[in-house]
């Protein structure tokens, strides 16, 4: 099954009609647009999409339609993708470490917003990047980090300067005539607004240390998707908390706000249809997809537990739920989902397991390892 032109009602209809042998990633554009609008209307600042979480062209198109006007890009390929698909959109090159060749390509693309987390990388920018393109000022945002709190996955261990170091860089950026701003990324799938609060307070301290008023504060991504059955993330209260914390900390010096959600925007607009290859001796369940495919990030961020099990006619299995060990199709023993997944007791070979909320870090990290990974794509009205 390749790219389906048809728009289906829902994943069950696809199963009933096609009984797909390969995994199918199912996309609901209306869900993506609704989520994008709730960010654009609810977040008290500019919403930029972190392209790495799902760079499918259909995603970019639907986000632009829904009013997303900025993108967080991390490589020349992502810069080109957005330049081609959303030529009027802002591109923030917020990967703080770049080769000189990558910097040259981004200068060619007249990138107006850059982040850095170290003197060596800032010096590369100061050497090469003009302070303006066509009369528009170039912004450089030192990225700072704090000990992790509230996130499932610690991005701080790879990127981010200490607050003192960020203050030094902020001052240098301002002295050299660039627009001084600050950025941080609290981690991913942060369900508690506390993840942003301490960062925002420290952003104000950094400005005071540097004696510089930050033009903008980018509060990163990390907005949660709906991964756990019955626990729907409350984006509105996260947005409110961020706005109030900024007003409280900065008062009249409040910087303009930017956020760069990946997962929070795209994840819930996709579901992954997988098929049960075997229920080995009635116990372990082998699926046709796993950690080398569309479920790549589960060992790092935990199971997607919004699942449905359907028979080949698209009817839900209804037996009592028991925990099962789930293996993917490859011969590698790490190809196993974390812990156990609650599946109905009557699940049998040939059934389908649908993982909802599967749109982030899945399509883009799917591999062909061991000859698997032939992922189909389909569009639906509802998930
Ligand atoms: C990956 C990344 C994001 C998006 O993270 P999500 O958890 O998917 O929202 C945002 N900003 C930066 C700098 C990133 O590296």
């Amino acid at each position: 099954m390749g790219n389906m032109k048809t728009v289906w009602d829902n994943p069950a209809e696809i199963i009933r009609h096609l009984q797909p042998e390969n995994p199918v990633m199912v996309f609901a554009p209306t869900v993506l647009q609704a989520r994008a609008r709730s960010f654009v209307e609810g977040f008290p600042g500019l919403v930029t999409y972190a392209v790495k979480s799902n760079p499918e062209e259909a995603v970019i198109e639907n986000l632009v339609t829904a009013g997303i006007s900025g993108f967080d890009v991390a490589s020349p390929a992502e810069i080109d993708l957005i330049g081609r698909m959303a030529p009027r959109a802002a591109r923030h090159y917020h990967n703080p470490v770049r080769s000189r060749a990558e910097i040259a390509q981004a200068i060619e693309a007249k990138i107006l917003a850059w982040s850095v987390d170290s003197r060596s990388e800032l010096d590369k920018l100061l050497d090469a990047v003009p302070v303006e393109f066509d009369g528009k000022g170039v912004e450089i945002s030192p990225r700072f980090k704090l000990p992790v709190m509230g996130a499932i996955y610690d991005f701080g261990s790879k990127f981010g300067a200490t607050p003192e170091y960020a203050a030094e860089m902020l001052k240098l950026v301002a002295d050299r005539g660039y627009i001084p701003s600050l950025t941080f990324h609290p981690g991913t799938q942060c369900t508690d607004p506390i993840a942003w609060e301490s960062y925002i307070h420290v952003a104000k301290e950094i400005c005071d240390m540097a004696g510089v008023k930050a033009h903008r504060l980018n509060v990163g991504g990390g907005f949660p998707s709906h991964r756990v059955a019955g626990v729907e993330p409350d984006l509105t209260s996260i947005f409110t908390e961020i706005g109030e914390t900024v007003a409280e900390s900065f008062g009249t010096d409040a910087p303009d706000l930017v956020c760069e959600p990946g997962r929070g925007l795209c994840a819930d607009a996709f579901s992954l249809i997988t098929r049960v290859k075997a229920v080995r001796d009635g116990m372990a369940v082998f699926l046709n997809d796993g950690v080398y495919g569309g479920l790549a990030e589960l060992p790092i961020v935990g199971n997607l537990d919004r699942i449905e099990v359907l028979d080949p006619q698209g009817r839900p299995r209804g037996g009592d739920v028991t925990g099962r060990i789930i293996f993917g199709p490859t011969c590698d023993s790490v190809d196993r989902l974390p812990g156990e997944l609650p599946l109905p007791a009557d699940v049998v070979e040939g059934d389908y397991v649908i993982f909802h909320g599967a749109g982030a870090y899945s399509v883009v990290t799917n591999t062909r390892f061991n000859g698997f990974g032939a992922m189909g794509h389909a569009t639906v009205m509802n998930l």
Side-chain angles (χ1 to χ4, degrees):
M1 182 178 153
N3 281 302
M4 302 296 306
K5 289 237 162 53
T6 322
V7 178
W8 303 87
D9 262 358
N10 53 35
E13 192 192 26
I14 295 172
I15 291 170
R16 195 160 54 242
H17 281 83
L18 302 177
Q19 297 175 357
E21 258 314 293
N22 289 322
V24 183
M25 188 59 89
V26 176
F27 173 42
T30 50
V31 174
L32 182 65
Q33 289 200 25
R35 179 60 58 86
R37 279 191 292 269
S38 61
F39 265 91
V40 171
E41 286 157 19
F43 181 77
L46 175 69
V47 180
T48 65
Y49 173 59
V51 173
K52 78 172 187 288
S53 60
N54 188 330
E56 295 276 286
E57 296 199 350
V59 170
I60 310 298
E61 272 165 18
N62 279 280
L63 289 175
V64 170
T65 302
I68 297 289
S69 58
F71 293 85
D72 164 35
V73 288
S75 59
E78 289 185 354
I79 288 172
D80 289 348
L81 173 72
I82 299 307
R84 183 162 53 78
M85 297 210 53
R88 283 187 302 277
R91 290 173 292 181
H92 296 176
Y93 192 2
H94 278 187
N95 180 343
V97 178
R98 312 162 184 86
S99 71
R100 287 179 204 270
E102 288 168 337
I103 292 169
Q105 282 175 271
I107 290 170
E108 193 78 14
K110 300 185 178 174
I111 293 299
L112 292 169
W114 308 64
S115 76
V116 281
D117 67 351
S118 58
R119 221 13 237 279
S120 62
E121 301 317 291
L122 176 56
D123 286 344
K124 286 188 201 170
L125 300 189
L126 299 179
D127 281 351
V129 181
V131 294
E132 58 167 58
F133 288 110
D134 308 325
K136 289 188 215 115
V138 168
E139 171 186 67
I140 299 181
S141 305
R143 174 165 164 184
F144 66 101
K145 70 172 171 197
L146 299 175
V148 231
M149 34 175 51
I152 269 187
Y153 187 86
D154 180 11
F155 277 86
S157 62
K158 183 164 178 185
F159 293 122
T162 62
E164 293 72 20
Y165 193 13
E168 228 175 86
M169 289 189 280
L170 186 68
K171 183 163 182 340
L172 182 56
V173 164
D175 288 348
R176 296 288 292 266
Y178 298 91
I179 297 171
S181 289
L182 282 170
T183 188
F184 63 83
H185 177 52
T188 202
Q189 187 68 16
C190 305
T191 46
D192 190 327
I194 186 104
W196 287 270
E197 283 167 19
S198 28
Y199 272 97
I200 292 168
H201 289 300
V202 172
K204 166 68 166 125
E205 289 168 23
I206 293 171
C207 292
D208 291 346
M209 271 187 267
V212 171
K213 179 174 170 332
H215 178 65
R216 297 201 289 188
L217 173 62
N218 187 319
V219 301
F223 299 87
S225 64
H226 189 184
R227 292 183 74 85
V228 179
V231 190
E232 194 145 5
D234 184 358
L235 287 173
T236 307
S237 63
I238 293 175
F239 295 155
T240 306
E241 200 65 42
I242 288 173
E244 286 177 3
T245 309
V246 170
E248 214 176 84
S249 296
F250 285 86
T252 51
D253 273 350
D256 290 341
L257 288 181
V258 185
C259 66
E260 47 191 20
R263 176 191 308 288
L265 272 173
C266 69
D268 293 336
F270 288 80
S271 297
L272 179 64
I273 300 176
T274 66
R275 190 164 206 188
V276 177
K277 296 178 67 172
V279 182
R280 196 173 59 187
D281 290 337
M283 304 288 289
V285 172
F286 282 67
L287 299 179
N288 63 355
D289 204 359
V291 309
Y292 290 98
L295 301 169
E297 67 156 10
L298 271 54
I300 306 165
V301 299
N303 273 329
L304 272 173
D305 100 333
R306 279 203 300 133
I307 50 179
E308 270 183 278
V309 180
L310 306 185
D311 72 12
Q313 277 67 52
R315 294 174 303 219
R317 290 287 177 197
D320 285 346
V321 167
T322 53
R324 298 295 186 102
I325 291 176
I326 310 288
F327 290 109
T330 71
C331 293
D332 191 333
S333 53
V334 309
D335 193 3
R336 185 199 149 160
L337 301 192
E340 293 183 343
L341 218 56
L343 296 187
D346 53 352
V347 62
V348 293
E349 177 187 338
D351 281 354
Y352 289 89
V353 180
I354 304 173
F355 293 84
H356 293 295
Y361 310 105
S362 54
V363 183
V364 66
T365 51
N366 182 47
T367 78
R368 299 306 305 264
F369 178 50
N370 238 182
F372 297 102
M375 183 187 271
H377 295 269
T379 305
V380 292
M381 300 299 293
N382 304 293
L383 289 170

